[in-house]
Amino acid sequence: MATVTVNGVQQENGFSTTNSAGRMNGLVIGQNTIPMKDHDAIKLFIGQIPRNLEEKDLKPLFEEFGKIYELTVLKDRFTGMHKGCAFLTYCARESALKAQSALHEQKTLPGMNRPIQVKPADSEGRGEDRKLFVGMLGKQQSEEDVRRLFETFGQIEECTVLRGPDGASKGCAFVKFSSHAEAQAAINSLHGGQTMPCAYPQGASSSLVVKFADTDKERTLRRMHQMAGQLGIFSPMTIQFGAYGAYSHAVSLGSTGEETQMMQQQAALMAATQNSYLNPMAAIAAAQMQQMAAFNVNGLVAAPMTPSSGTSTPPGINSTAVPSLAAPMGVNGFASLPPQTNGQPTNEPIYTNGIHPYPAQSPTVSDPLQQAYAGVQHYAAYPAAYAPISQAFPQQPAIIPQQQREGPEGCNLFIYHLPQEFGDAELMQMFLPFGNVISAKVFVDRATNQSKCFGFVSFDNPSSAQAAIQAMNGFQIGMKRLKVQLKRPKDANRPY
DNA sequence: TAACATT
């Protein structure tokens, strides 16, 4: 009697199961075969497929390697647009492995300029503790070169050199081993070592970076570090960020690589990506990384609210989990912010890229990191919840009078050099930490509907406005620095 | 580079 797993539940049953190599791949009941997959089946990510190919067109290509359990072309959640990639699960694990070795990077489908990608989806292979980030490679080192460099340490499941749109190497790669131990061995032997001599014919060389690839969580956290570091508003954090800045080159390299990979095609990470855009702090950090071209404002407002970690405070709920931040916020939105109140340097310039010039100091605060994250998410979650979707969340407290435009004198800011992608909601999110935002308005070209890259933010009190100027003027986003000034009073520049 | 509550 066969034991069959259906929906994760092991069952004894009397039905026969088809098999080719002693493996089950279908449950036969009468004339019908209910597709079954191996319990160790691998979900494959298929990339670089032409957007005109649907499931039915792709099926023949992949059926060659075995019975398909599930094949799904990824579509944009809102537009339904084909994303050029798919998930494929064979009934048999073996088929997936065969398809991967036969197809991955082996052929280029019509109309594509890169070879097809066939590899385990990122959702597979639990735990990223066997995936390595490799930095400081030579630009001309290929996947094959990297593979050769790492293959002595174990079985390589995946090896990808990160490339720009033009196909040029970014000088870094991901290498996934079949086990943590193998990955660790590679780190031990290769990290800090010299790159292959051929990479630097002139004798120049630089030491190889080999580290575990960041997990999604780490990526998100790092964005928050950068964001908060730039804001310079979480005073206990300034110290911590100094230490973090020491992470330096290897980390920023890693970040770039992962961002790139994500934007390119890692559909399995799309959910995480969209989360980061749901979270304005992460979104702004993402802007910092010059990924704003992909900013999806529709996604921001229309997607279901999904906190990027379990610690966020639900919108509109006064958090007691973060008293140090939540309590003062009721006063002017950010009591710890105003200058000259906390003994910290107040005029320090805003440093970009999360690298703070102050040396690392002993982190004496009990756990400022967690507090600040909680705080960040508190601010972050709130504004994302209303904006144009107040209809979608009718239970939201209607705090935002959309009509009310201008605050009292000294409360209105003019903001220039906004990222093109920023709308009212993002502008609001960016300034909410400094107080009660009465209105946030990005100016839009009426012909093109494009942002004019400037806007206004009004607070209900002048000190919030001053705090915002202090923190946000000069704040770098992408290649630009925000200009944040008091709006000119209406009667300014009038001769009399 | 310019740019300050619009149609």
Side-chain angles (χ1 to χ4, degrees), chain A residues 70 205 441 465:
Chain A
E70 191 175 33
S205 65
K441 188 88 209 140

Side-chain angles (χ1 to χ4, degrees), chain A residues 360-406:
Chain A
Q361 297 170 35
S362 57
T364 50
V365 187
S366 62
D367 197 355
L369 281 174
Q370 283 198 351
Q371 288 189 354
Y373 291 151
V376 164
Q377 295 201 341
H378 182 90
Y379 302 126
Y382 182 71
Y386 60 82
I389 48 164
S390 46
Q391 314 93 309
F393 293 95
Q395 77 281 17
Q396 277 304 306
I399 308 175
I400 310 306
Q402 205 65 19
Q403 307 89 328
Q404 193 172 349
R405 289 275 119 116
E406 201 154 335

Side-chain angles (χ1 to χ4, degrees), chain A residues 13-27:
Chain A
N13 72 80
F15 303 109
S16 64
T17 57
T18 59
N19 75 78
S20 50
R23 287 195 170 270
M24 304 173 279
N25 60 10
L27 177 58

Side-chain angles (χ1 to χ4, degrees), chain A residues 487-495:
Chain A
K487 174 180 130 43
R488 282 203 285 267
K490 278 197 195 65
D491 53 2
N493 290 338
R494 292 226 187 108

Side-chain angles (χ1 to χ4, degrees), chain A residues 392-470:
Chain A
F393 293 95
Q395 77 281 17
Q396 277 304 306
I399 308 175
I400 310 306
Q402 205 65 19
Q403 307 89 328
Q404 193 172 349
R405 289 275 119 116
E406 201 154 335
E409 173 103 30
C411 300
N412 306 299
L413 301 179
F414 170 70
I415 295 101
Y416 198 67
H417 289 156
L418 287 168
Q420 183 74 55
E421 298 78 7
F422 268 43
D424 294 354
E426 291 74 35
L427 185 62
M428 166 88 73
Q429 284 155 14
M430 189 154 52
F431 284 85
L432 208 74
F434 308 104
N436 297 324
V437 175
I438 291 174
S439 82
K441 188 88 209 140
V442 172
F443 267 57
V444 166
D445 185 284
R446 128 175 95 105
T448 65
N449 231 12
Q450 297 280 298
S451 161
K452 288 182 168 170
C453 299
F454 73 89
F456 299 91
V457 168
S458 297
F459 291 97
D460 64 355
N461 72 83
S463 64
S464 293
Q466 287 302 325
I469 293 172
Q470 185 85 11

Side-chain angles (χ1 to χ4, degrees), chain A residues 478-496:
Chain A
M479 300 294 289
K480 297 185 194 166
R481 283 173 187 279
L482 286 185
K483 180 170 277 195
V484 181
Q485 319 170 311
L486 280 181
K487 174 180 130 43
R488 282 203 285 267
K490 278 197 195 65
D491 53 2
N493 290 338
R494 292 226 187 108
Y496 50 90

Side-chain angles (χ1 to χ4, degrees), chain A residues 11-225:
Chain A
Q11 309 179 335
E12 293 274 294
N13 72 80
F15 303 109
S16 64
T17 57
T18 59
N19 75 78
S20 50
R23 287 195 170 270
M24 304 173 279
N25 60 10
L27 177 58
V28 180
I29 302 174
Q31 298 291 76
N32 303 316
T33 301
I34 299 172
M36 295 279 299
K37 63 180 172 105
D38 292 351
H39 64 280
D40 57 354
I42 303 169
K43 186 178 194 176
L44 294 173
F45 171 81
I46 315 294
Q48 298 295 326
I49 52 183
R51 289 176 199 266
N52 56 353
L53 298 189
E54 301 296 337
E55 280 89 350
K56 63 173 165 41
D57 310 305
L58 294 168
K59 221 175 144 206
L61 174 64
F62 294 107
E63 262 176 349
E64 192 181 322
F65 304 96
K67 191 157 186 270
I68 293 173
Y69 174 77
E70 191 175 33
L71 172 61
T72 318
V73 166
L74 294 173
K75 304 270 174 73
D76 182 277
R77 200 184 331 177
F78 307 108
T79 66
M81 216 176 69
H82 192 302
K83 285 184 168 174
C85 52
F87 285 130
L88 166 65
T89 311
Y90 285 101
C91 296
R93 179 183 174 85
E94 188 60 25
S95 309
L97 297 173
K98 269 196 287 186
Q100 182 179 6
S101 63
L103 296 175
H104 180 63
E105 302 250 328
Q106 294 309 115
K107 56 153 65 176
T108 301
L109 295 176
M112 296 285 103
N113 42 21
R114 298 237 206 121
I116 191 170
Q117 302 292 303
V118 178
K119 55 192 176 186
D122 282 4
S123 59
E124 300 293 283
R126 280 268 54 89
E128 291 293 277
D129 59 350
R130 53 198 178 89
K131 184 175 180 181
L132 298 178
F133 168 79
V134 185
M136 303 302 288
L137 287 167
K139 300 276 191 218
Q140 57 279 78
Q141 284 180 283
S142 67
E143 270 82 2
E144 208 40 56
D145 296 324
V146 176
R147 211 173 257 279
R148 267 198 295 276
L149 194 59
F150 284 84
E151 65 191 1
T152 57
F153 302 99
Q155 189 192 335
I156 296 174
E157 281 189 11
E158 186 190 321
C159 176
T160 321
V161 170
L162 296 163
R163 298 176 186 283
D166 55 352
S169 166
K170 289 179 178 283
C172 50
F174 288 118
V175 176
K176 191 188 264 177
F177 282 100
S178 60
S179 77
H180 175 79
E182 292 169 343
Q184 187 63 60
I187 291 177
N188 294 345
S189 300
L190 295 177
H191 179 67
Q194 299 301 297
T195 51
M196 297 167 66
C198 68
Y200 296 92
Q202 279 81 34
S205 65
S206 120
S207 47
L208 201 60
V209 171
V210 183
K211 60 189 275 285
F212 285 114
D214 285 351
T215 62
D216 284 0
K217 274 188 197 110
E218 285 164 332
R219 194 180 8 250
T220 304
L221 290 184
R222 190 178 46 244
R223 280 199 197 132
M224 293 198 165
H225 276 257

Side-chain angles (χ1 to χ4, degrees), chain A residues 239-255:
Chain A
I239 295 167
Q240 292 277 315
F241 288 141
Y244 201 83
Y247 240 78
S248 86
H249 192 54
V251 169
S252 47
L253 256 177
S255 155

